[in-house]
Amino acid sequence: MRRLTRTVAAATLATALALVSACSSDADKADDSSGVGASLEQVTYLTSFGNFGRDSYAWVAKEKGFFKDAGFDVEIKPGQGTGAVIQTIVGGQAHFGPIDLTGGLLQLGNGDAKDFVAVAAIQQRTMAAIATVEGTGINTPKDLEGKKLADTPGSVVRNLFPTYARMAGIDYTKVTWVNGEAQTLMGTLAAGSVDGIGQFVVGQPTIEAVTKKKAVLLPYSNVMQDLYGNVLITSKQYASEKPESVKKFTEALLKGLEYALAHPDEAAEILAKNAEAVNPAAAAAELQLMAGYVRSSNSGTAVGTLDSGRVAKSIAILRGAGALKSDLTPDQIIDFNLAPKA
Protein backbone atom coordinates (compact mmCIF):
# COMPACT_ATOMS: atom_id res chain seq x y z
CA MET A 1 0.00 0.00 0.00
CA ARG A 2 2.85 2.38 0.89
CA ARG A 3 4.52 1.56 -2.46
CA LEU A 4 1.25 2.41 -4.29
CA THR A 5 0.90 5.64 -2.36
CA ARG A 6 4.45 6.66 -3.29
CA THR A 7 3.77 5.83 -6.94
CA VAL A 8 0.59 7.91 -7.03
CA ALA A 9 2.35 10.80 -5.28
CA ALA A 10 5.23 10.70 -7.75
CA ALA A 11 2.83 10.69 -10.69
CA THR A 12 0.90 13.59 -9.21
CA LEU A 13 4.13 15.57 -8.67
CA ALA A 14 5.27 14.89 -12.24
CA THR A 15 1.93 16.08 -13.60
CA ALA A 16 2.13 19.22 -11.48
CA LEU A 17 5.66 19.96 -12.68
CA ALA A 18 4.58 19.45 -16.26
CA LEU A 19 1.73 21.90 -15.79
CA VAL A 20 4.06 24.48 -14.21
CA SER A 21 6.53 24.01 -17.06
CA ALA A 22 3.77 24.45 -19.63
CA CYS A 23 2.50 27.58 -17.88
CA SER A 24 6.01 29.00 -17.74
CA SER A 25 6.49 28.25 -21.42
CA ASP A 26 3.20 29.95 -22.27
CA ALA A 27 4.18 32.95 -20.14
CA ASP A 28 7.52 33.16 -21.93
CA LYS A 29 5.74 33.12 -25.27
CA ALA A 30 3.40 35.86 -24.07
CA ASP A 31 6.37 37.93 -22.99
CA ASP A 32 8.02 37.41 -26.37
CA SER A 33 4.87 38.45 -28.21
CA SER A 34 4.71 41.69 -26.21
CA GLY A 35 8.30 42.53 -27.08
CA VAL A 36 9.93 41.54 -23.76
CA GLY A 37 12.80 39.23 -24.48
CA ALA A 38 12.28 39.50 -28.22
CA SER A 39 15.21 40.45 -30.44
CA LEU A 40 15.55 44.17 -31.15
CA GLU A 41 15.13 45.52 -34.66
CA GLN A 42 18.33 47.10 -35.96
CA VAL A 43 17.64 50.66 -37.13
CA THR A 44 19.89 53.44 -38.43
CA TYR A 45 18.86 57.01 -37.67
CA LEU A 46 20.35 60.16 -39.21
CA THR A 47 20.42 63.50 -37.43
CA SER A 48 19.29 66.50 -39.45
CA PHE A 49 22.63 68.28 -39.59
CA GLY A 50 25.73 67.14 -37.74
CA ASN A 51 25.66 66.70 -33.96
CA PHE A 52 24.26 69.86 -32.41
CA GLY A 53 21.97 70.44 -29.45
CA ARG A 54 18.93 70.63 -31.72
CA ASP A 55 19.39 66.93 -32.57
CA SER A 56 20.25 65.68 -29.07
CA TYR A 57 16.78 64.24 -28.51
CA ALA A 58 17.69 61.15 -30.54
CA TRP A 59 20.63 60.45 -28.25
CA VAL A 60 18.32 61.01 -25.27
CA ALA A 61 15.83 58.46 -26.62
CA LYS A 62 18.67 55.96 -26.93
CA GLU A 63 20.32 56.72 -23.58
CA LYS A 64 17.05 56.63 -21.64
CA GLY A 65 16.02 53.32 -23.19
CA PHE A 66 13.01 54.69 -25.06
CA PHE A 67 14.15 53.06 -28.30
CA LYS A 68 14.95 49.76 -26.60
CA ASP A 69 11.60 49.69 -24.83
CA ALA A 70 9.93 50.15 -28.22
CA GLY A 71 11.87 47.22 -29.66
CA PHE A 72 14.76 48.96 -31.45
CA ASP A 73 18.54 48.91 -31.36
CA VAL A 74 19.36 52.27 -32.94
CA GLU A 75 22.61 53.45 -34.51
CA ILE A 76 22.72 57.25 -34.75
CA LYS A 77 24.77 58.88 -37.49
CA PRO A 78 25.25 62.60 -38.30
CA GLY A 79 23.20 63.84 -41.27
CA GLN A 80 24.29 66.43 -43.83
CA GLY A 81 21.09 68.35 -44.50
CA THR A 82 17.74 67.69 -46.13
CA GLY A 83 18.88 66.46 -49.55
CA ALA A 84 21.53 64.11 -48.21
CA VAL A 85 19.23 62.68 -45.52
CA ILE A 86 16.54 61.91 -48.12
CA GLN A 87 19.03 60.23 -50.46
CA THR A 88 20.51 58.09 -47.70
CA ILE A 89 17.12 56.90 -46.44
CA VAL A 90 15.65 56.23 -49.87
CA GLY A 91 18.89 54.48 -50.81
CA GLY A 92 18.43 52.08 -47.90
CA GLN A 93 21.48 53.12 -45.85
CA ALA A 94 19.28 54.50 -43.05
CA HIS A 95 15.71 54.05 -41.85
CA PHE A 96 14.72 57.37 -40.28
CA GLY A 97 15.87 60.98 -40.13
CA PRO A 98 14.59 64.55 -39.87
CA ILE A 99 14.44 66.89 -42.84
CA ASP A 100 13.04 70.39 -43.26
CA LEU A 101 9.52 69.90 -44.64
CA THR A 102 9.82 72.87 -47.02
CA GLY A 103 13.07 71.45 -48.34
CA GLY A 104 11.35 68.11 -48.79
CA LEU A 105 8.55 69.74 -50.77
CA LEU A 106 11.11 71.40 -53.03
CA GLN A 107 12.98 68.12 -53.54
CA LEU A 108 9.80 66.21 -54.33
CA GLY A 109 8.04 68.89 -56.38
CA ASN A 110 11.07 69.58 -58.53
CA GLY A 111 11.85 65.95 -59.25
CA ASP A 112 15.07 65.84 -57.22
CA ALA A 113 13.85 63.14 -54.82
CA LYS A 114 11.03 60.65 -54.37
CA ASP A 115 9.95 57.56 -52.42
CA PHE A 116 10.08 59.14 -48.95
CA VAL A 117 7.28 60.06 -46.59
CA ALA A 118 6.98 62.29 -43.49
CA VAL A 119 5.43 60.70 -40.40
CA ALA A 120 5.74 63.34 -37.65
CA ALA A 121 6.61 66.99 -37.08
CA ILE A 122 9.66 67.90 -35.02
CA GLN A 123 9.17 71.66 -35.22
CA GLN A 124 5.91 73.43 -35.96
CA ARG A 125 7.70 76.41 -37.53
CA THR A 126 10.69 76.59 -39.84
CA MET A 127 13.98 77.37 -38.09
CA ALA A 128 15.84 78.07 -41.35
CA ALA A 129 17.93 81.25 -41.30
CA ILE A 130 20.98 83.04 -42.61
CA ALA A 131 23.47 83.46 -39.78
CA THR A 132 26.36 85.87 -39.48
CA VAL A 133 28.14 87.87 -36.79
CA GLU A 134 28.49 91.54 -35.98
CA GLY A 135 30.98 93.34 -38.17
CA THR A 136 30.04 91.75 -41.50
CA GLY A 137 27.64 94.54 -42.43
CA ILE A 138 24.66 92.17 -42.56
CA ASN A 139 21.71 93.33 -40.50
CA THR A 140 18.78 93.06 -42.93
CA PRO A 141 17.98 90.78 -45.89
CA LYS A 142 18.93 93.57 -48.35
CA ASP A 143 22.45 93.55 -46.88
CA LEU A 144 22.99 90.04 -48.25
CA GLU A 145 23.42 91.35 -51.80
CA GLY A 146 27.09 91.25 -52.76
CA LYS A 147 27.97 88.88 -49.92
CA LYS A 148 29.35 85.32 -49.87
CA LEU A 149 27.49 82.61 -47.97
CA ALA A 150 28.38 78.97 -47.24
CA ASP A 151 26.25 75.88 -46.71
CA THR A 152 25.99 72.24 -47.73
CA PRO A 153 24.61 71.76 -51.26
CA GLY A 154 21.53 69.88 -50.02
CA SER A 155 20.66 72.22 -47.17
CA VAL A 156 17.12 73.58 -47.05
CA VAL A 157 18.47 77.03 -46.16
CA ARG A 158 20.38 77.13 -49.42
CA ASN A 159 17.70 75.53 -51.58
CA LEU A 160 14.95 77.73 -50.16
CA PHE A 161 17.02 80.90 -50.43
CA PRO A 162 15.70 82.05 -53.84
CA THR A 163 12.14 81.88 -52.51
CA TYR A 164 13.12 83.68 -49.32
CA ALA A 165 14.96 86.33 -51.34
CA ARG A 166 11.96 87.02 -53.58
CA MET A 167 9.64 87.37 -50.61
CA ALA A 168 12.17 89.55 -48.75
CA GLY A 169 12.61 91.83 -51.78
CA ILE A 170 16.24 91.11 -52.63
CA ASP A 171 18.04 89.91 -55.77
CA TYR A 172 19.25 86.38 -55.00
CA THR A 173 21.51 86.39 -58.08
CA LYS A 174 23.68 88.98 -56.32
CA VAL A 175 24.46 86.54 -53.50
CA THR A 176 27.30 84.03 -53.90
CA TRP A 177 27.06 80.57 -52.35
CA VAL A 178 30.01 78.24 -51.71
CA ASN A 179 29.99 74.64 -50.50
CA GLY A 180 30.66 73.73 -46.88
CA GLU A 181 30.22 70.81 -44.51
CA ALA A 182 27.86 70.69 -41.55
CA GLN A 183 30.51 70.42 -38.85
CA THR A 184 32.87 73.07 -40.29
CA LEU A 185 30.48 75.86 -41.30
CA MET A 186 30.78 77.78 -38.06
CA GLY A 187 34.57 77.54 -38.16
CA THR A 188 34.46 78.95 -41.71
CA LEU A 189 32.41 81.88 -40.45
CA ALA A 190 34.76 82.40 -37.51
CA ALA A 191 37.76 82.47 -39.85
CA GLY A 192 36.13 85.21 -41.93
CA SER A 193 36.25 83.13 -45.11
CA VAL A 194 32.58 83.88 -45.75
CA ASP A 195 30.16 86.59 -44.70
CA GLY A 196 27.43 84.25 -43.50
CA ILE A 197 26.26 80.66 -43.38
CA GLY A 198 23.04 78.71 -43.71
CA GLN A 199 21.92 77.76 -40.25
CA PHE A 200 18.95 77.15 -37.96
CA VAL A 201 18.00 79.94 -35.58
CA VAL A 202 18.80 77.69 -32.62
CA GLY A 203 22.42 77.69 -33.75
CA GLN A 204 22.93 81.15 -32.25
CA PRO A 205 24.56 79.99 -28.97
CA THR A 206 26.94 77.65 -30.79
CA ILE A 207 27.86 80.33 -33.32
CA GLU A 208 28.72 82.73 -30.53
CA ALA A 209 30.72 80.05 -28.71
CA VAL A 210 32.75 79.27 -31.84
CA THR A 211 33.22 82.76 -33.26
CA LYS A 212 33.48 84.63 -29.93
CA LYS A 213 31.24 87.29 -31.48
CA LYS A 214 27.59 88.25 -31.21
CA ALA A 215 25.48 86.37 -33.75
CA VAL A 216 23.12 88.08 -36.20
CA LEU A 217 20.29 85.95 -37.60
CA LEU A 218 17.85 86.50 -40.46
CA PRO A 219 15.07 83.91 -39.85
CA TYR A 220 13.14 82.77 -42.89
CA SER A 221 9.99 82.62 -40.74
CA ASN A 222 9.97 86.44 -40.63
CA VAL A 223 8.84 86.52 -44.26
CA MET A 224 7.55 82.98 -44.85
CA GLN A 225 4.63 82.15 -42.58
CA ASP A 226 3.00 78.75 -42.00
CA LEU A 227 6.09 76.76 -42.95
CA TYR A 228 6.87 73.73 -40.79
CA GLY A 229 10.40 73.08 -39.58
CA ASN A 230 11.88 69.59 -39.44
CA VAL A 231 9.76 66.49 -39.91
CA LEU A 232 10.66 62.85 -39.36
CA ILE A 233 10.83 60.84 -42.59
CA THR A 234 11.26 57.24 -43.63
CA SER A 235 11.17 55.51 -46.99
CA LYS A 236 7.81 54.70 -48.56
CA GLN A 237 8.91 51.07 -48.72
CA TYR A 238 9.63 50.85 -44.99
CA ALA A 239 6.40 52.69 -44.13
CA SER A 240 4.43 50.29 -46.30
CA GLU A 241 6.10 47.13 -45.04
CA LYS A 242 6.36 48.04 -41.34
CA PRO A 243 3.72 50.63 -40.39
CA GLU A 244 3.60 49.50 -36.75
CA SER A 245 7.38 49.82 -36.47
CA VAL A 246 7.12 53.36 -37.82
CA LYS A 247 4.53 54.25 -35.18
CA LYS A 248 6.56 52.70 -32.36
CA PHE A 249 9.80 54.36 -33.45
CA THR A 250 8.10 57.74 -33.84
CA GLU A 251 6.56 57.50 -30.37
CA ALA A 252 9.95 56.66 -28.83
CA LEU A 253 11.72 59.49 -30.66
CA LEU A 254 9.09 62.07 -29.68
CA LYS A 255 9.36 60.86 -26.09
CA GLY A 256 13.06 61.66 -26.30
CA LEU A 257 12.23 65.06 -27.80
CA GLU A 258 9.90 65.96 -24.94
CA TYR A 259 12.40 64.76 -22.35
CA ALA A 260 15.22 66.76 -23.96
CA LEU A 261 13.16 69.95 -23.96
CA ALA A 262 12.20 69.43 -20.32
CA HIS A 263 15.80 68.63 -19.29
CA PRO A 264 18.07 70.59 -21.68
CA ASP A 265 21.18 70.43 -19.49
CA GLU A 266 20.96 66.65 -19.09
CA ALA A 267 20.24 66.22 -22.80
CA ALA A 268 23.30 68.32 -23.67
CA GLU A 269 25.51 66.16 -21.44
CA ILE A 270 24.16 63.00 -23.07
CA LEU A 271 24.98 64.46 -26.50
CA ALA A 272 28.48 65.48 -25.38
CA LYS A 273 29.11 61.95 -24.13
CA ASN A 274 28.25 60.47 -27.51
CA ALA A 275 29.54 63.03 -30.01
CA GLU A 276 32.87 64.82 -30.34
CA ALA A 277 33.46 68.56 -30.06
CA VAL A 278 30.11 69.31 -28.41
CA ASN A 279 29.82 72.41 -26.20
CA PRO A 280 27.26 71.32 -23.54
CA ALA A 281 26.29 74.88 -22.60
CA ALA A 282 25.64 75.83 -26.22
CA ALA A 283 23.77 72.58 -26.85
CA ALA A 284 21.49 73.19 -23.86
CA ALA A 285 20.84 76.75 -25.02
CA GLU A 286 19.89 75.44 -28.48
CA LEU A 287 17.26 73.17 -26.91
CA GLN A 288 15.83 76.04 -24.88
CA LEU A 289 15.49 78.12 -28.05
CA MET A 290 13.98 75.21 -29.95
CA ALA A 291 11.16 74.63 -27.43
CA GLY A 292 9.11 77.49 -28.86
CA TYR A 293 9.28 75.92 -32.33
CA VAL A 294 8.28 72.41 -31.25
CA ARG A 295 5.10 73.60 -29.60
CA SER A 296 2.93 76.37 -31.02
CA SER A 297 -0.71 77.45 -31.20
CA ASN A 298 -0.98 75.50 -34.46
CA SER A 299 0.34 72.21 -33.15
CA GLY A 300 -2.70 70.84 -31.34
CA THR A 301 -2.38 69.00 -28.06
CA ALA A 302 0.31 66.49 -29.04
CA VAL A 303 3.92 67.00 -30.06
CA GLY A 304 4.58 65.76 -33.58
CA THR A 305 1.22 66.50 -35.19
CA LEU A 306 0.91 67.57 -38.82
CA ASP A 307 -2.01 69.53 -40.28
CA SER A 308 -3.02 69.02 -43.91
CA GLY A 309 -4.29 72.60 -44.24
CA ARG A 310 -1.00 74.11 -43.12
CA VAL A 311 0.97 71.88 -45.47
CA ALA A 312 -1.30 72.99 -48.31
CA LYS A 313 -0.51 76.62 -47.43
CA SER A 314 3.22 75.84 -47.56
CA ILE A 315 2.77 74.35 -51.01
CA ALA A 316 0.82 77.42 -52.12
CA ILE A 317 3.60 79.73 -50.89
CA LEU A 318 6.22 77.82 -52.86
CA ARG A 319 4.03 77.66 -55.96
CA GLY A 320 3.32 81.39 -55.74
CA ALA A 321 7.04 82.12 -55.53
CA GLY A 322 7.72 79.98 -58.57
CA ALA A 323 9.83 77.55 -56.56
CA LEU A 324 7.91 74.38 -57.49
CA LYS A 325 7.91 72.95 -60.99
CA SER A 326 4.88 70.76 -60.30
CA ASP A 327 1.93 70.98 -57.95
CA LEU A 328 1.68 68.73 -54.92
CA THR A 329 -0.92 67.66 -52.40
CA PRO A 330 -0.15 67.20 -48.69
CA ASP A 331 -0.70 63.44 -48.77
CA GLN A 332 1.99 63.05 -51.42
CA ILE A 333 4.63 63.85 -48.82
CA ILE A 334 2.93 62.99 -45.51
CA ASP A 335 1.38 59.73 -44.34
CA PHE A 336 -1.34 61.08 -42.06
CA ASN A 337 -2.29 57.53 -41.03
CA LEU A 338 1.11 57.15 -39.37
CA ALA A 339 1.47 60.69 -37.98
CA PRO A 340 0.51 61.49 -34.35
CA LYS A 341 -3.04 62.72 -33.92
CA ALA A 342 -3.82 66.19 -32.57
Side-chain angles (χ1 to χ4, degrees), residues 71-90:
F72 300 98
D73 179 12
V74 180
E75 180 183 12
I76 302 173
K77 295 183 177 181
Q80 288 288 330
T82 293
V85 170
I86 292 173
Q87 289 177 6
T88 306
I89 289 174
V90 172

PDB file of all heavy atoms in Angstrom, residues 71-90:
ATOM      1  N   GLY A  71      11.460  48.364 -28.858  1.00  0.00           N
ATOM      2  CA  GLY A  71      11.873  47.218 -29.665  1.00  0.00           C
ATOM      3  C   GLY A  71      12.956  47.498 -30.684  1.00  0.00           C
ATOM      4  O   GLY A  71      13.100  46.742 -31.650  1.00  0.00           O
ATOM      5  N   PHE A  72      13.746  48.574 -30.463  1.00  0.00           N
ATOM      6  CA  PHE A  72      14.755  48.960 -31.454  1.00  0.00           C
ATOM      7  C   PHE A  72      16.157  49.076 -30.856  1.00  0.00           C
ATOM      8  O   PHE A  72      16.334  49.528 -29.726  1.00  0.00           O
ATOM      9  CB  PHE A  72      14.394  50.317 -32.081  1.00  0.00           C
ATOM     10  CG  PHE A  72      13.070  50.342 -32.781  1.00  0.00           C
ATOM     11  CD1 PHE A  72      11.945  50.841 -32.142  1.00  0.00           C
ATOM     12  CD2 PHE A  72      12.941  49.848 -34.067  1.00  0.00           C
ATOM     13  CE1 PHE A  72      10.713  50.864 -32.772  1.00  0.00           C
ATOM     14  CE2 PHE A  72      11.716  49.860 -34.719  1.00  0.00           C
ATOM     15  CZ  PHE A  72      10.594  50.368 -34.064  1.00  0.00           C
ATOM     16  N   ASP A  73      17.128  48.651 -31.630  1.00  0.00           N
ATOM     17  CA  ASP A  73      18.541  48.911 -31.358  1.00  0.00           C
ATOM     18  C   ASP A  73      18.973  49.927 -32.407  1.00  0.00           C
ATOM     19  O   ASP A  73      19.087  49.593 -33.589  1.00  0.00           O
ATOM     20  CB  ASP A  73      19.357  47.624 -31.469  1.00  0.00           C
ATOM     21  CG  ASP A  73      20.838  47.850 -31.213  1.00  0.00           C
ATOM     22  OD1 ASP A  73      21.208  48.945 -30.738  1.00  0.00           O
ATOM     23  OD2 ASP A  73      21.636  46.935 -31.498  1.00  0.00           O
ATOM     24  N   VAL A  74      19.192  51.175 -31.996  1.00  0.00           N
ATOM     25  CA  VAL A  74      19.356  52.275 -32.939  1.00  0.00           C
ATOM     26  C   VAL A  74      20.804  52.747 -33.025  1.00  0.00           C
ATOM     27  O   VAL A  74      21.442  53.032 -32.002  1.00  0.00           O
ATOM     28  CB  VAL A  74      18.454  53.469 -32.548  1.00  0.00           C
ATOM     29  CG1 VAL A  74      18.634  54.621 -33.533  1.00  0.00           C
ATOM     30  CG2 VAL A  74      16.991  53.036 -32.501  1.00  0.00           C
ATOM     31  N   GLU A  75      21.311  52.825 -34.237  1.00  0.00           N
ATOM     32  CA  GLU A  75      22.608  53.450 -34.505  1.00  0.00           C
ATOM     33  C   GLU A  75      22.340  54.861 -35.020  1.00  0.00           C
ATOM     34  O   GLU A  75      21.593  55.047 -35.975  1.00  0.00           O
ATOM     35  CB  GLU A  75      23.394  52.658 -35.548  1.00  0.00           C
ATOM     36  CG  GLU A  75      24.762  53.277 -35.860  1.00  0.00           C
ATOM     37  CD  GLU A  75      25.518  52.539 -36.945  1.00  0.00           C
ATOM     38  OE1 GLU A  75      24.914  51.691 -37.628  1.00  0.00           O
ATOM     39  OE2 GLU A  75      26.724  52.829 -37.119  1.00  0.00           O
ATOM     40  N   ILE A  76      22.941  55.843 -34.379  1.00  0.00           N
ATOM     41  CA  ILE A  76      22.721  57.247 -34.751  1.00  0.00           C
ATOM     42  C   ILE A  76      23.947  57.764 -35.492  1.00  0.00           C
ATOM     43  O   ILE A  76      25.072  57.655 -35.014  1.00  0.00           O
ATOM     44  CB  ILE A  76      22.460  58.116 -33.505  1.00  0.00           C
ATOM     45  CG1 ILE A  76      21.247  57.586 -32.741  1.00  0.00           C
ATOM     46  CG2 ILE A  76      22.245  59.574 -33.898  1.00  0.00           C
ATOM     47  CD1 ILE A  76      21.010  58.287 -31.407  1.00  0.00           C
ATOM     48  N   LYS A  77      23.699  58.328 -36.677  1.00  0.00           N
ATOM     49  CA  LYS A  77      24.775  58.884 -37.495  1.00  0.00           C
ATOM     50  C   LYS A  77      24.462  60.349 -37.819  1.00  0.00           C
ATOM     51  O   LYS A  77      23.291  60.715 -37.957  1.00  0.00           O
ATOM     52  CB  LYS A  77      24.933  58.096 -38.797  1.00  0.00           C
ATOM     53  CG  LYS A  77      25.387  56.658 -38.605  1.00  0.00           C
ATOM     54  CD  LYS A  77      25.582  55.966 -39.954  1.00  0.00           C
ATOM     55  CE  LYS A  77      26.097  54.552 -39.788  1.00  0.00           C
ATOM     56  NZ  LYS A  77      26.318  53.883 -41.110  1.00  0.00           N
ATOM     57  N   PRO A  78      25.490  61.191 -37.974  1.00  0.00           N
ATOM     58  CA  PRO A  78      25.248  62.597 -38.303  1.00  0.00           C
ATOM     59  C   PRO A  78      24.784  62.779 -39.741  1.00  0.00           C
ATOM     60  O   PRO A  78      25.378  62.217 -40.667  1.00  0.00           O
ATOM     61  CB  PRO A  78      26.614  63.259 -38.077  1.00  0.00           C
ATOM     62  CG  PRO A  78      27.609  62.158 -38.251  1.00  0.00           C
ATOM     63  CD  PRO A  78      26.924  60.915 -37.755  1.00  0.00           C
ATOM     64  N   GLY A  79      23.695  63.543 -39.936  1.00  0.00           N
ATOM     65  CA  GLY A  79      23.201  63.844 -41.267  1.00  0.00           C
ATOM     66  C   GLY A  79      23.889  65.062 -41.851  1.00  0.00           C
ATOM     67  O   GLY A  79      24.597  65.782 -41.150  1.00  0.00           O
ATOM     68  N   GLN A  80      23.647  65.304 -43.136  1.00  0.00           N
ATOM     69  CA  GLN A  80      24.285  66.429 -43.829  1.00  0.00           C
ATOM     70  C   GLN A  80      23.255  67.305 -44.528  1.00  0.00           C
ATOM     71  O   GLN A  80      23.483  67.808 -45.617  1.00  0.00           O
ATOM     72  CB  GLN A  80      25.310  65.916 -44.833  1.00  0.00           C
ATOM     73  CG  GLN A  80      26.569  65.348 -44.202  1.00  0.00           C
ATOM     74  CD  GLN A  80      27.458  66.429 -43.606  1.00  0.00           C
ATOM     75  OE1 GLN A  80      27.487  67.551 -44.076  1.00  0.00           O
ATOM     76  NE2 GLN A  80      28.172  66.091 -42.548  1.00  0.00           N
ATOM     77  N   GLY A  81      22.097  67.480 -43.911  1.00  0.00           N
ATOM     78  CA  GLY A  81      21.092  68.351 -44.501  1.00  0.00           C
ATOM     79  C   GLY A  81      20.004  67.573 -45.224  1.00  0.00           C
ATOM     80  O   GLY A  81      20.105  66.364 -45.460  1.00  0.00           O
ATOM     81  N   THR A  82      18.949  68.292 -45.588  1.00  0.00           N
ATOM     82  CA  THR A  82      17.737  67.686 -46.132  1.00  0.00           C
ATOM     83  C   THR A  82      17.994  66.768 -47.322  1.00  0.00           C
ATOM     84  O   THR A  82      17.556  65.611 -47.336  1.00  0.00           O
ATOM     85  CB  THR A  82      16.742  68.790 -46.532  1.00  0.00           C
ATOM     86  OG1 THR A  82      16.295  69.459 -45.349  1.00  0.00           O
ATOM     87  CG2 THR A  82      15.540  68.215 -47.263  1.00  0.00           C
ATOM     88  N   GLY A  83      18.663  67.257 -48.354  1.00  0.00           N
ATOM     89  CA  GLY A  83      18.876  66.461 -49.554  1.00  0.00           C
ATOM     90  C   GLY A  83      19.640  65.187 -49.291  1.00  0.00           C
ATOM     91  O   GLY A  83      19.269  64.104 -49.773  1.00  0.00           O
ATOM     92  N   ALA A  84      20.703  65.279 -48.500  1.00  0.00           N
ATOM     93  CA  ALA A  84      21.529  64.108 -48.213  1.00  0.00           C
ATOM     94  C   ALA A  84      20.789  63.099 -47.344  1.00  0.00           C
ATOM     95  O   ALA A  84      20.922  61.884 -47.542  1.00  0.00           O
ATOM     96  CB  ALA A  84      22.822  64.542 -47.530  1.00  0.00           C
ATOM     97  N   VAL A  85      20.001  63.584 -46.383  1.00  0.00           N
ATOM     98  CA  VAL A  85      19.231  62.678 -45.523  1.00  0.00           C
ATOM     99  C   VAL A  85      18.220  61.899 -46.354  1.00  0.00           C
ATOM    100  O   VAL A  85      18.072  60.683 -46.202  1.00  0.00           O
ATOM    101  CB  VAL A  85      18.524  63.459 -44.391  1.00  0.00           C
ATOM    102  CG1 VAL A  85      17.529  62.561 -43.652  1.00  0.00           C
ATOM    103  CG2 VAL A  85      19.558  64.005 -43.405  1.00  0.00           C
ATOM    104  N   ILE A  86      17.518  62.586 -47.257  1.00  0.00           N
ATOM    105  CA  ILE A  86      16.542  61.908 -48.118  1.00  0.00           C
ATOM    106  C   ILE A  86      17.233  60.832 -48.956  1.00  0.00           C
ATOM    107  O   ILE A  86      16.767  59.684 -49.032  1.00  0.00           O
ATOM    108  CB  ILE A  86      15.829  62.912 -49.039  1.00  0.00           C
ATOM    109  CG1 ILE A  86      14.933  63.852 -48.220  1.00  0.00           C
ATOM    110  CG2 ILE A  86      14.985  62.171 -50.081  1.00  0.00           C
ATOM    111  CD1 ILE A  86      14.318  64.971 -49.047  1.00  0.00           C
ATOM    112  N   GLN A  87      18.324  61.176 -49.587  1.00  0.00           N
ATOM    113  CA  GLN A  87      19.025  60.231 -50.455  1.00  0.00           C
ATOM    114  C   GLN A  87      19.490  59.000 -49.689  1.00  0.00           C
ATOM    115  O   GLN A  87      19.372  57.867 -50.182  1.00  0.00           O
ATOM    116  CB  GLN A  87      20.235  60.919 -51.106  1.00  0.00           C
ATOM    117  CG  GLN A  87      19.870  61.953 -52.162  1.00  0.00           C
ATOM    118  CD  GLN A  87      21.096  62.651 -52.729  1.00  0.00           C
ATOM    119  OE1 GLN A  87      22.226  62.282 -52.418  1.00  0.00           O
ATOM    120  NE2 GLN A  87      20.881  63.670 -53.542  1.00  0.00           N
ATOM    121  N   THR A  88      19.997  59.201 -48.487  1.00  0.00           N
ATOM    122  CA  THR A  88      20.512  58.089 -47.695  1.00  0.00           C
ATOM    123  C   THR A  88      19.395  57.150 -47.261  1.00  0.00           C
ATOM    124  O   THR A  88      19.547  55.922 -47.284  1.00  0.00           O
ATOM    125  CB  THR A  88      21.265  58.610 -46.464  1.00  0.00           C
ATOM    126  OG1 THR A  88      22.284  59.534 -46.874  1.00  0.00           O
ATOM    127  CG2 THR A  88      21.935  57.479 -45.699  1.00  0.00           C
ATOM    128  N   ILE A  89      18.254  57.720 -46.883  1.00  0.00           N
ATOM    129  CA  ILE A  89      17.123  56.904 -46.437  1.00  0.00           C
ATOM    130  C   ILE A  89      16.480  56.167 -47.609  1.00  0.00           C
ATOM    131  O   ILE A  89      16.209  54.964 -47.535  1.00  0.00           O
ATOM    132  CB  ILE A  89      16.092  57.774 -45.687  1.00  0.00           C
ATOM    133  CG1 ILE A  89      16.672  58.185 -44.327  1.00  0.00           C
ATOM    134  CG2 ILE A  89      14.764  57.047 -45.506  1.00  0.00           C
ATOM    135  CD1 ILE A  89      15.820  59.149 -43.548  1.00  0.00           C
ATOM    136  N   VAL A  90      16.240  56.867 -48.689  1.00  0.00           N
ATOM    137  CA  VAL A  90      15.647  56.232 -49.867  1.00  0.00           C
ATOM    138  C   VAL A  90      16.599  55.176 -50.432  1.00  0.00           C
ATOM    139  O   VAL A  90      16.164  54.135 -50.947  1.00  0.00           O
ATOM    140  CB  VAL A  90      15.302  57.287 -50.938  1.00  0.00           C
ATOM    141  CG1 VAL A  90      14.874  56.624 -52.236  1.00  0.00           C
ATOM    142  CG2 VAL A  90      14.194  58.197 -50.429  1.00  0.00           C
TER     143      VAL A  90
END
